[in-house]
Amino acid sequence: MSDGIHLTHYHQMIVKWLKEHVNWLKLVDFYPETETALPVPCAFFSVQDWERSEDQRMNGQLTVTLSCELLAVLGIAEDKYQLDIRNAAMALAIAVEGERFGLPVEPAVFSSAEPDAFNPELDDYAVWSIRFTQEIDIGKDEFQYTGVTPSTVKVGYVPKVGLNDQDSYEQVTDERT
């Protein structure tokens, strides 16, 4: 597999994926740590916590389940902002469900969406929290294969063995080609 995912790389890939696939967002960043007016609609991604996954790969890596949050942020100047923020939250929930975000991870699993009032820096905006989980492997894969992947497979039927008897083997071919 790999040497696992580094949390910084995970954050960067989620933000990159959101920028590329949810084009109506004017800003995508991690953790809402801004003191200036926000270009809305926007979203902030964060990893809330993680726990040991029930399914471990037994390869030296630790498989963890990340609890992730995506904050959808809209302005409150529009008359329909309550409906608009709910539609935005639903669109983001659909977008993240089943995604791997270009990483060697398990598909994201949408958990919930609800109004968010826990970020005082966003009190001037309508904010909804979209939560999802995702399993990732961290640490080094002790059994990672580093050799050459075979390109030809041969089989023998009661073969003679040795260098002089190579003709008694048949190459296995892919019938689809």
Side-chain angles (χ1 to χ4, degrees), residues 22-68:
V22 186
N23 58 6
W24 49 267
L25 291 172
K26 294 182 180 175
L27 170 71
V28 180
D29 207 347
F30 344 112
Y31 308 96
E33 298 173 356
T34 182
E35 303 211 1
T36 60
L38 297 172
V40 290
C42 63
F44 293 97
F45 172 74
S46 62
V47 173
Q48 299 297 313
D49 59 30
W50 55 88
E51 60 187 37
R52 180 185 183 91
S53 173
E54 290 181 21
D55 297 322
Q56 294 295 313
R57 306 217 190 285
M58 306 307 286
N59 62 357
Q61 291 181 302
L62 176 63
T63 302
V64 296
T65 303
L66 299 178
S67 296
C68 302

Coordinates of all heavy atoms in Angstrom, one line a residue, residues 22-68:
V22 N -16.3 21.3 -6.4 CA -17.4 22.1 -5.9 C -17.2 23.6 -6.3 O -16.8 24.4 -5.5 CB -17.6 22.0 -4.4 CG1 -18.9 22.6 -3.9 CG2 -17.7 20.5 -4.0
N23 N -17.4 23.9 -7.6 CA -17.0 25.1 -8.2 C -17.8 26.4 -7.7 O -17.4 27.5 -8.0 CB -17.0 25.1 -9.7 CG -18.3 24.7 -10.3 OD1 -19.3 24.6 -9.5 ND2 -18.3 24.4 -11.5
W24 N -18.9 26.2 -7.0 CA -19.7 27.3 -6.5 C -19.1 27.9 -5.2 O -19.5 29.0 -4.8 CB -21.1 27.0 -6.4 CG -21.5 25.7 -5.6 CD1 -21.6 24.5 -6.2 CD2 -21.6 25.6 -4.2 NE1 -21.9 23.6 -5.2 CE2 -21.9 24.3 -4.0 CE3 -21.6 26.5 -3.1 CZ2 -22.2 23.8 -2.7 CZ3 -21.8 26.0 -1.9 CH2 -22.1 24.7 -1.6
L25 N -18.1 27.2 -4.6 CA -17.5 27.8 -3.4 C -16.5 28.8 -3.8 O -15.6 28.6 -4.6 CB -16.8 26.6 -2.6 CG -17.7 25.6 -1.9 CD1 -17.0 24.5 -1.4 CD2 -18.6 26.3 -0.8
K26 N -16.5 30.0 -3.2 CA -15.6 31.0 -3.5 C -14.3 30.9 -2.7 O -13.3 31.5 -3.1 CB -16.2 32.4 -3.2 CG -17.4 32.7 -4.2 CD -18.0 34.0 -3.9 CE -19.1 34.3 -4.9 NZ -19.8 35.5 -4.6
L27 N -14.3 30.2 -1.6 CA -13.1 30.0 -0.8 C -13.3 28.6 -0.1 O -14.3 28.2 0.4 CB -13.0 31.1 0.4 CG -12.0 30.8 1.4 CD1 -10.6 31.1 0.9 CD2 -12.3 31.8 2.6
V28 N -12.2 27.9 -0.1 CA -12.1 26.6 0.6 C -10.8 26.6 1.4 O -9.7 26.9 0.8 CB -12.1 25.4 -0.3 CG1 -12.0 24.1 0.5 CG2 -13.3 25.4 -1.2
D29 N -10.8 26.3 2.7 CA -9.6 26.4 3.5 C -9.8 25.4 4.6 O -10.8 24.8 4.8 CB -9.4 27.8 4.0 CG -7.9 28.1 4.3 OD1 -7.1 27.2 4.3 OD2 -7.6 29.3 4.5
F30 N -8.7 25.2 5.5 CA -8.9 24.4 6.7 C -9.2 25.4 7.8 O -8.8 26.5 7.8 CB -7.6 23.7 7.1 CG -6.5 23.5 6.1 CD1 -5.3 24.2 6.3 CD2 -6.6 22.7 5.0 CE1 -4.3 24.0 5.4 CE2 -5.6 22.5 4.2 CZ -4.4 23.1 4.4
Y31 N -9.9 24.9 8.8 CA -10.1 25.6 10.1 C -10.4 27.1 9.9 O -9.6 27.8 9.4 CB -9.0 25.3 11.1 CG -8.6 23.9 11.2 CD1 -7.6 23.3 10.5 CD2 -9.3 23.1 12.1 CE1 -7.3 22.0 10.6 CE2 -9.0 21.7 12.2 CZ -8.0 21.2 11.5 OH -7.7 19.9 11.6
P32 N -11.6 27.5 10.3 CA -11.9 28.9 10.2 C -11.1 29.8 11.1 O -11.5 30.1 12.2 CB -13.4 29.0 10.5 CG -13.6 27.8 11.4 CD -12.6 26.8 11.0
E33 N -10.0 30.3 10.6 CA -9.1 31.2 11.5 C -8.9 32.5 10.8 O -7.7 33.0 10.7 CB -7.8 30.5 11.7 CG -7.9 29.2 12.5 CD -6.6 28.4 12.6 OE1 -5.6 28.8 12.0 OE2 -6.6 27.3 13.2
T34 N -9.9 33.1 10.3 CA -9.8 34.4 9.6 C -10.5 35.5 10.4 O -11.4 35.3 11.1 CB -10.4 34.3 8.2 OG1 -10.2 35.5 7.5 CG2 -11.8 33.9 8.2
E35 N -10.0 36.7 10.2 CA -10.6 37.8 10.9 C -11.1 38.9 9.9 O -11.6 39.9 10.3 CB -9.5 38.5 11.8 CG -9.0 37.5 12.8 CD -8.5 38.1 14.1 OE1 -8.7 39.3 14.3 OE2 -8.1 37.3 15.0
T36 N -11.0 38.6 8.7 CA -11.6 39.5 7.6 C -12.9 38.9 7.1 O -13.3 37.8 7.4 CB -10.6 39.6 6.5 OG1 -10.4 38.3 5.9 CG2 -9.2 40.1 6.9
A37 N -13.6 39.8 6.4 CA -14.9 39.3 5.8 C -14.6 38.2 4.8 O -13.6 38.1 4.1 CB -15.5 40.5 5.1
L38 N -15.5 37.2 4.8 CA -15.3 36.0 4.0 C -16.1 36.2 2.7 O -17.2 36.7 2.7 CB -15.9 34.8 4.8 CG -15.2 34.4 6.1 CD1 -16.0 33.3 6.8 CD2 -13.8 34.0 5.8
P39 N -15.4 35.7 1.6 CA -16.2 35.6 0.3 C -17.1 34.4 0.4 O -16.7 33.3 0.6 CB -15.1 35.4 -0.7 CG -14.0 34.8 0.1 CD -14.1 35.3 1.5
V40 N -18.4 34.6 0.4 CA -19.4 33.5 0.6 C -20.0 33.2 -0.8 O -20.1 34.1 -1.6 CB -20.4 33.9 1.6 CG1 -19.8 33.9 3.0 CG2 -21.1 35.2 1.3
P41 N -20.4 32.0 -1.0 CA -20.3 30.8 -0.1 C -18.9 30.3 0.0 O -18.2 30.4 -1.0 CB -21.3 29.8 -0.7 CG -21.3 30.2 -2.2 CD -21.1 31.7 -2.3
C42 N -18.6 29.8 1.2 CA -17.3 29.2 1.3 C -17.4 28.0 2.3 O -18.5 27.7 2.8 CB -16.3 30.2 1.9 SG -16.7 30.8 3.5
A43 N -16.3 27.2 2.4 CA -16.3 26.1 3.3 C -14.9 25.9 4.0 O -13.9 26.3 3.4 CB -16.5 24.8 2.4
F44 N -15.0 25.4 5.2 CA -13.8 25.1 6.0 C -13.7 23.7 6.3 O -14.7 23.1 6.8 CB -13.7 26.0 7.2 CG -13.6 27.5 6.9 CD1 -14.7 28.3 6.9 CD2 -12.3 28.0 6.7 CE1 -14.6 29.6 6.6 CE2 -12.2 29.4 6.4 CZ -13.3 30.2 6.4
F45 N -12.6 23.0 6.1 CA -12.5 21.6 6.4 C -11.6 21.4 7.7 O -10.6 22.1 7.9 CB -11.8 20.9 5.3 CG -11.4 19.4 5.6 CD1 -12.4 18.5 5.7 CD2 -10.1 19.1 5.9 CE1 -12.1 17.2 6.0 CE2 -9.8 17.8 6.2 CZ -10.8 16.8 6.3
S46 N -12.0 20.4 8.5 CA -11.2 20.1 9.7 C -11.3 18.7 10.1 O -12.4 18.0 9.8 CB -11.5 21.0 10.9 OG -12.9 20.8 11.3
V47 N -10.3 18.1 10.7 CA -10.4 16.8 11.3 C -10.6 17.0 12.8 O -9.8 17.6 13.4 CB -9.1 16.0 11.0 CG1 -9.1 14.7 11.8 CG2 -8.8 15.8 9.5
Q48 N -11.8 16.5 13.2 CA -12.1 16.7 14.6 C -11.4 15.8 15.6 O -10.9 16.2 16.6 CB -13.7 16.5 14.8 CG -14.5 17.5 14.0 CD -14.3 18.9 14.4 OE1 -14.3 19.3 15.6 NE2 -14.0 19.8 13.5
D49 N -11.3 14.5 15.2 CA -10.6 13.5 16.0 C -10.5 12.3 15.2 O -10.9 12.2 14.1 CB -11.3 13.3 17.4 CG -12.8 12.8 17.2 OD1 -13.1 12.1 16.2 OD2 -13.6 13.1 18.1
W50 N -9.9 11.2 15.8 CA -9.8 9.9 15.2 C -9.7 8.9 16.2 O -9.4 9.1 17.4 CB -8.6 9.8 14.2 CG -7.3 10.2 14.8 CD1 -6.4 9.3 15.5 CD2 -6.7 11.4 14.8 NE1 -5.3 10.0 15.8 CE2 -5.4 11.3 15.5 CE3 -7.0 12.7 14.3 CZ2 -4.5 12.4 15.7 CZ3 -6.1 13.8 14.5 CH2 -4.9 13.6 15.2
E51 N -10.1 7.7 15.8 CA -10.0 6.5 16.7 C -9.6 5.3 15.9 O -9.6 5.3 14.7 CB -11.4 6.3 17.4 CG -12.5 6.0 16.4 CD -13.9 5.9 17.1 OE1 -14.1 6.6 18.0 OE2 -14.6 5.0 16.6
R52 N -9.1 4.3 16.7 CA -8.6 3.1 16.1 C -9.8 2.4 15.4 O -10.9 2.2 15.9 CB -8.1 2.2 17.2 CG -7.5 0.9 16.7 CD -7.1 0.0 17.9 NE -6.6 -1.3 17.4 CZ -5.3 -1.5 17.1 NH1 -4.4 -0.5 17.3 NH2 -4.9 -2.6 16.7
S53 N -9.5 2.0 14.1 CA -10.5 1.3 13.3 C -10.7 -0.2 13.8 O -9.7 -0.7 14.3 CB -10.2 1.3 11.9 OG -11.0 0.5 11.1
E54 N -11.8 -0.7 13.7 CA -12.0 -2.1 14.1 C -11.2 -3.0 13.2 O -10.8 -4.1 13.6 CB -13.5 -2.5 14.1 CG -14.3 -1.9 15.2 CD -15.8 -2.3 15.1 OE1 -16.1 -3.3 14.5 OE2 -16.6 -1.5 15.7
D55 N -11.1 -2.7 11.9 CA -10.4 -3.5 10.9 C -9.0 -3.0 10.8 O -8.7 -1.9 10.3 CB -11.1 -3.4 9.5 CG -12.5 -4.0 9.6 OD1 -12.7 -5.0 10.3 OD2 -13.4 -3.4 8.9
Q56 N -8.0 -3.8 11.2 CA -6.6 -3.5 11.1 C -6.0 -4.3 10.0 O -6.3 -5.5 9.8 CB -5.9 -3.7 12.4 CG -6.3 -2.8 13.5 CD -6.0 -1.3 13.2 OE1 -4.9 -1.0 12.8 NE2 -7.0 -0.4 13.4
R57 N -5.0 -3.8 9.2 CA -4.5 -4.4 8.1 C -3.4 -5.4 8.5 O -2.9 -6.2 7.7 CB -3.9 -3.4 7.1 CG -4.9 -2.4 6.7 CD -4.8 -2.0 5.3 NE -5.6 -0.8 5.0 CZ -7.0 -0.8 4.9 NH1 -7.6 -2.0 5.0 NH2 -7.6 0.2 4.6
M58 N -2.9 -5.4 9.7 CA -1.8 -6.3 10.2 C -0.6 -6.2 9.3 O 0.1 -7.2 9.1 CB -2.4 -7.7 10.2 CG -3.7 -7.9 11.0 SD -3.6 -7.2 12.7 CE -2.6 -8.5 13.5
N59 N -0.2 -5.0 8.9 CA 1.0 -4.8 8.1 C 2.0 -3.8 8.8 O 2.9 -3.4 8.2 CB 0.7 -4.4 6.7 CG 0.0 -3.0 6.7 OD1 -0.3 -2.4 7.8 ND2 -0.3 -2.5 5.5
G60 N 1.7 -3.5 10.1 CA 2.6 -2.6 10.7 C 2.0 -1.2 10.8 O 2.4 -0.3 11.5
Q61 N 1.0 -0.9 9.9 CA 0.3 0.4 9.9 C -0.8 0.3 10.9 O -1.4 -0.7 11.2 CB -0.2 0.7 8.5 CG 0.9 1.0 7.5 CD 0.3 1.3 6.1 OE1 -0.5 0.5 5.6 NE2 0.6 2.5 5.6
L62 N -1.2 1.5 11.3 CA -2.4 1.7 12.2 C -3.5 2.2 11.3 O -3.3 3.3 10.7 CB -2.1 2.6 13.3 CG -3.3 3.0 14.3 CD1 -3.7 1.7 15.0 CD2 -2.8 4.0 15.3
T63 N -4.6 1.6 11.2 CA -5.8 2.1 10.5 C -6.7 2.8 11.5 O -7.0 2.3 12.5 CB -6.6 0.9 9.9 OG1 -5.7 0.2 9.0 CG2 -7.8 1.5 9.1
V64 N -6.9 4.1 11.2 CA -7.7 4.9 12.0 C -9.0 5.5 11.3 O -8.9 5.6 10.0 CB -7.0 6.1 12.6 CG1 -5.8 5.6 13.5 CG2 -6.4 7.0 11.6
T65 N -10.0 5.8 12.0 CA -11.2 6.4 11.4 C -11.2 7.8 11.8 O -11.3 8.2 13.0 CB -12.5 5.7 11.9 OG1 -12.4 4.3 11.6 CG2 -13.7 6.3 11.3
L66 N -11.0 8.7 10.8 CA -11.0 10.1 11.0 C -12.5 10.6 11.1 O -13.3 10.2 10.3 CB -10.3 10.9 9.9 CG -8.9 10.6 9.6 CD1 -8.4 11.4 8.4 CD2 -8.0 10.8 10.8
S67 N -12.7 11.5 12.1 CA -14.0 12.2 12.1 C -13.8 13.6 11.6 O -13.1 14.4 12.2 CB -14.5 12.3 13.6 OG -14.8 11.0 14.1
C68 N -14.4 13.9 10.4 CA -14.1 15.1 9.7 C -15.3 16.0 9.7 O -16.5 15.5 9.8 CB -13.7 14.8 8.2 SG -12.3 13.7 8.1

